[in-house]
């Protein structure tokens, strides 16, 4: 795992050291990706999010095969909702909102079936899962400590949703000095127009927040690594 890898990306190639990189799989929870969860309670059709599952699984498997680090996140709250801002609970004036019983258990509450990660992307025991109360994965979590302790500098970012938790996390990471590669087919939005605009916003202005590539390009690079 020595030497740097280069992935064809926009606005230019993303170069990283595999031993100092991690795959971030953000919020691939039933609550966002399946019917009857928080995403649907917000008024969304969840089907566009399913498109990210298969490519993300291929990338996840490639990271595991290469012995590279993987970190998962889940958005949600303590059962007593003590870490849920009242403003967040009230937002949207939902009939069934955060903490209320839904078809997959209490909405966006840790320990409930809906809060957990979908079976296709189930974390392995050696892959940390960061429980986050906000949209960003750095806010009120130990993610930054974990990245520092493991010498991670580069993040390959996948998950949902592109303009909400992906953007917030990539912006937080960028401000902290991490380099982020967002895989366009491994992130998804409930809104097609937000998906394309959010992707453009990341790579515009010389890569103002990060780089954008595809699962295919990333897999090509990892293939070179595992063959060498
Ligand atoms: N609503 C929406 O698009 N997203 C979220 O509430 N959370 C995440 O993006 N994970």
């Amino acid at each position: 795992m020595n030497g740097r890898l280069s992935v064809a990306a926009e606005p230019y190639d993303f170069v990283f050291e595999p031993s100092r990189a991690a795959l971030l799989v953000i919020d691939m929870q039933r609550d966002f990706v399946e019917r009857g969860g928080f995403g649907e309670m917000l008024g969304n059709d969840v089907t566009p999010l399913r498109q990210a599952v298969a490519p993300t699984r291929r990338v996840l498997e490639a990271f595991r095969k290469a012995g590279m680090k993987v970190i998962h996140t889940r958005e949600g709250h303590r059962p007593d909702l003590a870490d849920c801002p009242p403003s967040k609970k009230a937002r949207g004036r939902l009939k069934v909102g955060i903490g209320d019983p839904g078809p997959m258990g209490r909405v966006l509450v840790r320990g409930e079936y809906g809060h957990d990660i979908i079976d296709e992307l189930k974390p392995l025991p050696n892959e940390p899962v960061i429980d986050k109360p906000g949209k960003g994965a750095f806010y009120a979590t130990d993610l930054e400590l974990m990245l520092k302790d493991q010498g991670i500098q580069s993040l390959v970012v996948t998950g949902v949703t592109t303009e909400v938790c992906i953007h917030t996390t990539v912006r937080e990471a960028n401000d902290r000095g991490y380099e982020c590669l967002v895989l366009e087919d491994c992130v998804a939005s409930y809104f097609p127009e937000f998906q394309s605009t959010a992707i453009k916003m990341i790579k515009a202005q010389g890569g103002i927040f990060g780089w954008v590539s595809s699962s295919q390009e990333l897999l090509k690079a990892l293939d070179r690594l595992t063959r060498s």
Side-chain angles (χ1 to χ4, degrees):
M1 284 230 296
N2 292 321
R4 290 162 80 74
L5 265 193
S6 182
V7 181
E10 289 182 288
Y12 49 85
D13 289 356
F14 182 75
V15 180
F16 68 102
E17 207 167 309
S19 62
R20 310 201 74 176
L23 174 67
L24 260 191
V25 186
I26 296 181
D27 300 359
M28 289 302 281
Q29 299 159 253
R30 298 188 185 98
D31 255 323
F32 294 108
V33 174
E34 292 189 1
R35 296 206 57 190
F38 184 58
E40 200 173 73
M41 303 304 178
L42 292 171
N44 299 305
D45 169 13
V46 299
T47 45
L49 267 51
R50 305 291 318 176
Q51 289 170 19
V53 176
T56 302
R57 189 178 163 131
R58 289 193 284 274
V59 171
L60 180 61
E61 283 169 357
F63 263 72
R64 286 171 175 168
K65 188 173 161 203
M68 291 169 64
K69 296 178 186 79
V70 176
I71 299 171
H72 303 258
T73 72
R74 296 184 296 204
E75 179 180 345
H77 298 282
R78 297 161 48 105
D80 61 6
L81 301 188
D83 60 353
C84 180
S87 60
K88 183 177 181 182
K89 168 116 178 85
R91 192 73 49 82
R93 299 177 174 172
L94 306 179
K95 258 203 272 197
V96 181
I98 298 170
D100 297 333
M104 294 193 290
R106 291 179 68 206
V107 174
L108 226 55
V109 168
R110 294 180 196 147
E112 301 288 335
Y113 182 75
H115 171 266
D116 211 354
I117 293 168
I118 58 172
D119 291 336
E120 297 94 315
L121 303 173
K122 195 179 167 67
L124 292 179
N126 66 331
E127 295 169 355
V129 178
I130 305 270
D131 278 317
K132 62 189 186 64
K135 304 304 181 193
F138 287 84
Y139 175 68
T141 73
D142 54 6
L143 175 60
E144 191 168 13
L145 176 67
M146 207 178 278
L147 298 180
K148 283 217 165 83
D149 285 350
Q150 301 192 41
I152 294 167
Q153 297 169 329
S154 309
L155 299 170
V156 175
V157 182
T158 62
V160 294
T161 64
T162 314
E163 78 281 13
V164 182
C165 291
I166 301 296
H167 250 243
T168 307
T169 299
V170 167
R171 289 168 191 239
E172 286 181 331
N174 183 66
D175 281 350
R176 287 166 173 78
Y178 297 98
E179 299 201 314
C180 294
L181 175 67
V182 177
L183 301 180
E184 185 166 1
D185 55 332
C186 298
V187 295
S189 168
Y190 298 116
F191 305 90
E193 69 273 29
F194 291 172
Q195 169 74 5
S196 71
T197 303
I199 289 291
K200 283 184 198 149
M201 288 165 76
I202 292 165
K203 66 187 177 187
Q205 305 185 65
I208 196 79
F209 304 130
W211 285 255
V212 174
S213 187
S214 64
S215 61
Q216 217 183 351
E217 290 300 334
L218 194 274
L219 291 173
K220 272 200 254 174
L222 289 188
D223 199 42
R224 288 197 297 275
L225 175 73
T226 42
R227 277 164 200 269
S228 63

